[in-house]
Amino acid sequence: MTSEQHNEQSPQRPPERPPGRTPEQTPGQLPTVTYAFAVCRRCDPAALAGLPGLDDAAPVRTLAAGPLTAVVQDVSAVDFAEDALRQRLTDRDELERCARAHHEVIMAASAVTPTVPLPFATLYLGDARARAALREKEESFLAALGRFNGRVEWGVKVYTAPAPPASSPAPPAGTAPGTAPGVAPGTTPGVAAGNGRAYLDRVRSRHQVREQHQNDALQAAERVDAVVRGLAVAARRLRPHGVEVTGAHRTHVLNAAYLIDSARESELRAALEDMRREETAVQIELSGPWAPYSFADGPDGGVPR
């Protein structure tokens, strides 16, 4: 996922209680818990065939509960116990593997049917508990699935374009190294003061150019957001990335997700191409289409947790 994508995972949740043998398991069988990836109405199991999921010891499968179907997998109760899960999340490589596997299953389901993605590490003690959870939120899930029908999520990121190179302001003439502007040895007070003021003016001017560049980028980002919102049925602002992700050469000024009718993809792409030509102060990136991650738990048609 991106993640960037998409940018922005839901909080991880440990198993509901310390793992033990569930009613579905037979004596001698290693204890498992039910890991839930997503919820849909119906999902063709063939779309999930061959997916390793989180643990390739058991297949990714569907679990029916009335009008709803969960996409699930049996995983080791020991490996997904609270302490083991916490340790796994501190291992960057393992966390990335699990996050990618979670995303892969959700995207496979959403490719064939409207899907509500569930947060990473949504665990139940067994199928019975998973079905009970679906029944408890059946109305909300059905409303979200209706809202997601024929729609996908797109991500738009806007960054400041690299500023024109600017040389550092030269110190005033006659200023010796390590000497404050305006008090250089061998210069008259009037001349030194004039040179010092010119130096400070250049510093202020450079600062004003940077500030104006940032303001231009912020205003451009708002115009981009307004255009894409005009095509969307729902939108959500996400937290911009810091320099550890973007690098020091540009600033992230807009990170947003939009729920858009699938039929409007070409319209979206054309609109952003026009914006790229018009908004030279920024760089515009489009990602997607994604399952509606950013709208699965919020007021814009998502499922309240």
Side-chain angles (χ1 to χ4, degrees):
M1 101 179 130
T2 121
S3 92
E4 284 190 4
Q5 212 212 307
H6 265 143
N7 294 321
E8 311 282 340
Q9 285 284 346
S10 301
Q12 285 75 28
R13 296 189 291 183
E16 295 165 320
R17 66 172 184 254
R21 187 163 59 86
T22 66
E24 292 90 344
Q25 293 163 347
T26 58
Q29 182 182 2
L30 290 176
T32 63
V33 291
T34 301
Y35 186 106
F37 297 92
V39 175
C40 50
R41 290 180 185 271
R42 292 288 183 268
C43 181
D44 183 357
L48 310 173
L51 293 174
L54 274 294
D55 183 353
D56 56 12
V60 177
R61 58 187 174 87
T62 58
L63 177 67
L68 297 172
T69 297
V71 179
V72 302
Q73 184 178 34
D74 296 326
V75 297
S76 166
V78 173
D79 291 344
F80 281 83
E82 185 172 357
D83 291 342
L85 182 59
R86 186 180 297 112
Q87 183 175 0
R88 174 173 293 183
L89 297 180
T90 63
D91 183 330
R92 184 170 182 173
D93 291 340
E94 178 64 6
L95 174 59
E96 182 175 355
R97 183 194 72 80
C98 292
R100 286 184 180 277
H102 184 84
H103 172 68
E104 184 180 30
V105 173
I106 290 171
M107 291 302 292
S110 66
V112 297
T113 185
T115 299
V116 177
L118 295 178
F120 177 70
T122 298
L123 295 160
Y124 300 98
L125 290 177
D127 287 0
R129 294 292 291 271
R131 285 192 177 97
L134 292 183
R135 286 194 294 269
E136 180 183 346
K137 296 181 179 179
E138 180 179 298
E139 185 176 341
S140 294
F141 278 124
L142 289 174
L145 289 168
R147 188 167 176 79
F148 296 161
N149 188 32
R151 293 165 175 163
V152 291
E153 177 176 326
W154 291 90
V156 175
K157 292 179 170 58
V158 178
Y159 303 89
T160 55
S167 57
S168 299
T175 302
T179 305
V183 293
T187 55
T188 62
V191 172
N195 287 339
R197 280 193 296 272
Y199 172 76
L200 293 176
D201 285 344
R202 289 194 295 273
V203 171
R204 279 194 293 268
S205 176
R206 187 182 181 192
H207 175 75
Q208 288 169 354
V209 168
R210 286 199 303 266
E211 191 174 66
Q212 185 61 51
H213 185 67
Q214 181 71 6
N215 287 338
D216 289 346
L218 290 171
Q219 292 174 18
E222 292 301 321
R223 290 190 289 270
V224 171
D225 178 60
V227 167
V228 183
R229 280 177 183 266
L231 301 172
V233 297
R236 177 167 292 177
R237 292 286 188 98
L238 307 173
R239 183 180 303 167
H241 299 309
V243 294
E244 67 280 359
V245 175
T246 66
H249 64 291
R250 61 181 185 172
T251 303
H252 199 179
V253 291
L254 176 68
N255 187 17
Y258 305 89
L259 187 65
I260 298 178
D261 290 340
S262 299
R264 305 194 78 171
E265 176 178 347
S266 59
E267 192 177 351
L268 169 66
R269 292 187 182 277
L272 288 183
E273 277 304 310
D274 289 342
M275 296 297 289
R276 289 187 181 102
R277 287 190 291 270
E278 296 168 6
E279 302 293 353
T280 57
V282 294
Q283 297 172 335
I284 304 170
E285 293 181 359
L286 175 68
S287 65
W290 309 109
Y293 287 96
S294 300
F295 304 94
D297 62 352
D300 295 321
V303 178
R305 301 279 173 224

